[in-house]
């Protein structure tokens, strides 16, 4: 049939024309004008390396090498825009989707994008241009030395051009976020598995689930729970970044493997057991990058069924004349109060319970990992009790020293000479400490 043949020929010519159109009509001539209009709209310099028009497989346009801001705060390797051709003759122009790939954004760039995301209340109810979906691929957010990504994201838009649903997923599949806007706030649901924190201490989460609300200025959790290092953590936190960065949080920690947790802060950590605590977090910094360095943690804590390696408190309290504290201290329970700030860890109200051993005191770990403090030990051995033998703590985390005070050693030597080893050593140590307290200068705790 001739009409079928004619239609086929016409369609073939149309496809050929569309395919040849980009080579006949160049849109490179429009690039300076587009750069100028975008710069005026964003109030930031915008540059485009290349513009192209494509006819197949469906009409679309692309831009490559996009940079926004004097310092390139937002960079896009490629931008693709796919219009709905039938809408071009209507009042509202419809863009089926906008796709961005190879996106790099700095902290300053995030602020610029956040300003653009706001819906203008004076904008017409029926927009001139309506975007159906925004796709983002291979994106990275750089905050100082910390990078988040690469990730992919999708944004479904409303008829007014505002985000309706936002989904984000790391390319390794370990981290996902879903956001649903409601007014000026976003309902956030975050889930992660086998995921490590991108900033701050490299904590590894077996499972993490967070629900909360976010604005362009802050984020507040309504539910946060995690499983990590054989235990569980739950609580809530608030993060604000309008003027600098501020973090506040309260958590419950239950039965964490303290050896694995301590290794994050100290590779040669020498303590084991199961940790329970109620930490309170506070941090104030000039930006998000410096938030970890300003973090302050305060918490009561309790460690059960553990071992403190590198020092034997029982030996240090009973072998006063040998000055040997090497070994390990096994305990049923170690409790106290911890304050971490500025690289320093201060342990106060320490109490150690382990069969015949009981000890209490205060210890500080300085930023250079040096140790200082005082421990009072009591060891029961049959009918003989060494009560409140004061021990000085020194050395480093890697090489700790727990040795009796000078008065204890002197008194023990005299007692041993008069009454002999054992009872004489113990009684002499007690007398030496009593005399120091009565006539001498007490050592700082």
């Amino acid at each position: 049939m001739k009409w079928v043949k004619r239609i086929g020929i016409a369609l073939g010519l149309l496809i050929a024309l569309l395919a040849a159109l980009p080579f006949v009509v160049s849109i490179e001539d429009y690039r300076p004008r587009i750069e100028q209009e975008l710069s005026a709209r964003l109030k930031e310099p915008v540059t485009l390396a290349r513009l192209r028009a494509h006819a197949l497989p469906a009409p679309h346009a692309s831009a490559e090498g996009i940079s926004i801001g004097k310092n390139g705060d937002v960079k896009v390797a490629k931008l693709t825009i796919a219009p709905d051709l039938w809408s071009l003759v209507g009042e509202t122009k419809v863009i089926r989707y906008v796709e961005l790939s190879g996106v790099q954004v700095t902290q300053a760039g995030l602020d610029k994008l956040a300003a653009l995301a706001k819906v203008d209340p004076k904008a017409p109810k029926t927009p001139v241009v309506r975007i159906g979906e925004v796709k983002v691929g291979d994106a990275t957010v750089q905050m100082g030395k910390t990078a988040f990504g690469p990730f992919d994201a999708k944004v479904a838009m409303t008829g007014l051009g505002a985000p309706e649903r936002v989904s984000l997923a790391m390319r390794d599949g370990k981290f996902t976020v879903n956001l649903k806007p409601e007014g000026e706030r976003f309902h956030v649901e975050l889930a992660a598995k086998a995921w490590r924190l991108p900033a701050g201490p490299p904590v590894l989460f077996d499972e993490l689930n967070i629900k909360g609300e976010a604005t362009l200025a802050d984020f507040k959790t309504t539910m946060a729970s995690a499983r990590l290092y054989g235990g569980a953590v739950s609580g809530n936190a608030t993060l604000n970044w309008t003027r600098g960065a501020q973090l506040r949080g309260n958590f419950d920690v239950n039965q964490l493997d303290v050896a694995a947790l301590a290794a994050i802060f100290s590779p040669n950590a020498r303590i084991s057991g199961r940790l329970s605590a109620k930490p309170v977090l506070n941090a104030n910094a000039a930006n998000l990058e410096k938030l970890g360095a300003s973090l302050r943690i305060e918490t009561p804590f309790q460690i059960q069924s553990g071992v403190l390696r590198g020092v034997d408190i029982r030996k240090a309290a009973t072998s006063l004349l040998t000055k040997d504290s090497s070994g390990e201290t096994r305990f049923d329970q170690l409790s106290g109060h911890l304050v971490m700030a500025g690289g320093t860890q201060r342990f106060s109200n320490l109490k150690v319970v382990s069969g015949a051993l009981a000890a209490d005191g205060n210890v500080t770990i300085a930023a250079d990992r040096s140790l200082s403090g005082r421990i009072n030990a009591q060891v029961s051995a049959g009918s003989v009790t060494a009560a409140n033998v004061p021990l000085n703590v020194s050395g480093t985390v890697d090489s700790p020293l727990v040795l009796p005070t000078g008065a204890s050693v002197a008194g023990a030597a005299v007692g041993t000479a008069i009454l002999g080893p054992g009872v004489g050593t113990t009684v002499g140590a007690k007398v030496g400490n009593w005399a120091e307290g009565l006539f001498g200068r007490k050592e700082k705790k």
Side-chain angles (χ1 to χ4, degrees):
M1 293 185 293
K2 293 183 178 180
W3 62 275
V4 175
K5 185 177 181 179
R6 291 172 181 172
I7 292 177
I9 293 173
L11 288 176
L13 290 174
L14 179 59
I15 292 174
L17 178 61
L18 290 174
L21 186 61
F23 301 100
V24 178
V25 179
S26 174
I27 63 173
E28 271 291 310
D29 296 338
Y30 294 94
R31 183 161 57 87
R33 180 179 175 183
I34 294 174
E35 290 177 341
Q36 184 179 3
E37 291 185 358
L38 287 175
S39 299
R41 169 68 189 277
L42 301 179
K43 298 181 180 179
E44 292 285 345
V46 177
T47 58
L48 309 175
R50 186 178 183 184
L51 288 176
R52 296 184 65 185
H54 309 266
L56 297 176
H60 63 281
S62 66
E64 299 176 2
I66 302 172
S67 178
I68 302 175
K70 295 179 180 179
N71 300 318
D73 296 318
V74 180
K75 293 182 178 180
V76 181
K78 186 176 181 180
L79 167 67
T80 301
I81 300 175
D84 182 350
L85 292 180
W86 296 108
S87 70
L88 298 180
V89 297
E91 181 179 353
T92 301
K93 317 305 179 190
V94 178
I95 305 297
R96 293 187 294 112
Y97 68 84
V98 175
E99 185 171 358
L100 302 93
S101 61
V103 180
Q104 296 181 10
V105 184
T106 66
Q107 177 64 48
L110 282 178
D111 298 336
K112 295 178 176 64
L113 294 177
L116 288 176
K118 294 181 179 179
V119 179
D120 187 356
K122 298 180 180 180
K125 294 183 178 180
T126 303
V128 177
V129 178
R130 187 173 74 243
I131 300 174
E133 186 179 45
V134 177
K135 304 175 184 179
V136 180
D138 192 18
T140 301
V141 177
Q142 190 74 37
M143 294 177 288
K145 297 180 181 179
T146 302
F148 178 78
F151 62 88
D152 299 327
K154 290 184 179 180
V155 183
M157 310 294 286
T158 67
L160 295 177
E164 183 178 28
R165 293 185 310 277
V166 180
S167 61
L168 181 151
M170 298 291 283
R171 289 201 152 189
D172 58 12
K174 296 181 179 180
F175 181 91
T176 60
V177 178
N178 291 290
L179 301 92
K180 184 175 179 58
E182 186 175 293
E184 295 185 354
R185 306 190 70 84
F186 288 85
H187 293 289
V188 180
E189 292 188 7
L190 180 153
K193 289 186 177 181
W195 178 71
R196 197 180 299 275
L197 284 177
V203 178
L204 176 63
F205 291 92
D206 298 325
E207 186 176 336
L208 176 64
N209 292 282
I210 296 177
K211 293 183 180 180
E213 293 186 347
T215 67
L216 299 178
D218 60 13
F219 174 67
K220 299 178 180 179
T221 66
T222 56
M223 185 282 292
S225 64
R227 301 197 65 83
L228 66 165
Y229 304 113
V233 178
S234 61
N236 285 295
T238 299
L239 177 64
N240 187 290
W241 53 84
T242 49
R243 295 181 179 177
Q246 300 86 38
L247 173 66
R248 304 287 183 271
N250 295 273
F251 295 90
D252 287 324
V253 177
N254 293 289
Q255 297 299 304
L256 264 64
D257 182 352
V258 71
L261 185 64
I264 298 174
F265 302 95
S266 176
N268 298 320
R270 298 187 173 193
I271 188 168
S272 63
R274 290 289 173 177
L275 170 68
S276 295
K278 294 183 177 294
V280 176
L281 280 61
N282 287 279
N284 294 278
N287 51 52
L288 291 173
E289 179 190 0
K290 299 179 180 179
L291 201 60
S294 68
L295 181 63
R296 184 181 192 275
I297 302 176
E298 184 172 355
T299 180
F301 69 91
Q302 184 180 100
I303 303 174
Q304 296 177 332
S305 303
V307 179
L308 183 62
R309 296 179 179 84
V311 61
D312 187 339
I313 298 177
R314 179 186 179 121
K315 182 194 292 186
T318 55
S319 303
L320 300 179
L321 300 181
T322 61
K323 293 187 178 182
D324 181 12
S325 63
S326 62
E328 62 181 30
T329 301
R330 293 185 175 273
F331 56 85
D332 300 321
Q333 180 176 298
L334 169 62
S335 61
H337 190 272
L338 168 65
V339 176
M340 294 177 59
T344 300
Q345 304 172 45
R346 293 182 175 86
F347 297 86
S348 59
N349 299 322
L350 284 171
K351 295 185 183 300
V352 180
V353 177
S354 178
L357 172 66
D360 62 79
N362 304 289
V363 175
T364 297
I365 302 177
D368 61 359
R369 298 168 59 81
S370 62
L371 298 173
S372 62
R374 172 73 69 88
I375 294 176
N376 299 308
Q378 177 178 334
V379 180
S380 300
S383 60
V384 179
T385 300
N388 296 326
V389 176
L391 305 171
N392 286 329
V393 179
S394 60
T396 66
V397 174
D398 298 328
S399 300
L401 291 174
V402 178
L403 301 175
T405 62
S408 299
V409 174
V414 174
T416 302
I418 298 175
L419 301 177
V423 175
T425 303
T426 302
V427 172
K430 291 180 181 179
V431 173
N433 292 323
W434 173 77
E436 178 188 48
L438 183 62
F439 301 108
R441 179 178 58 85
K442 294 183 178 180
E443 296 186 41
K444 293 183 180 179
K445 293 187 178 182

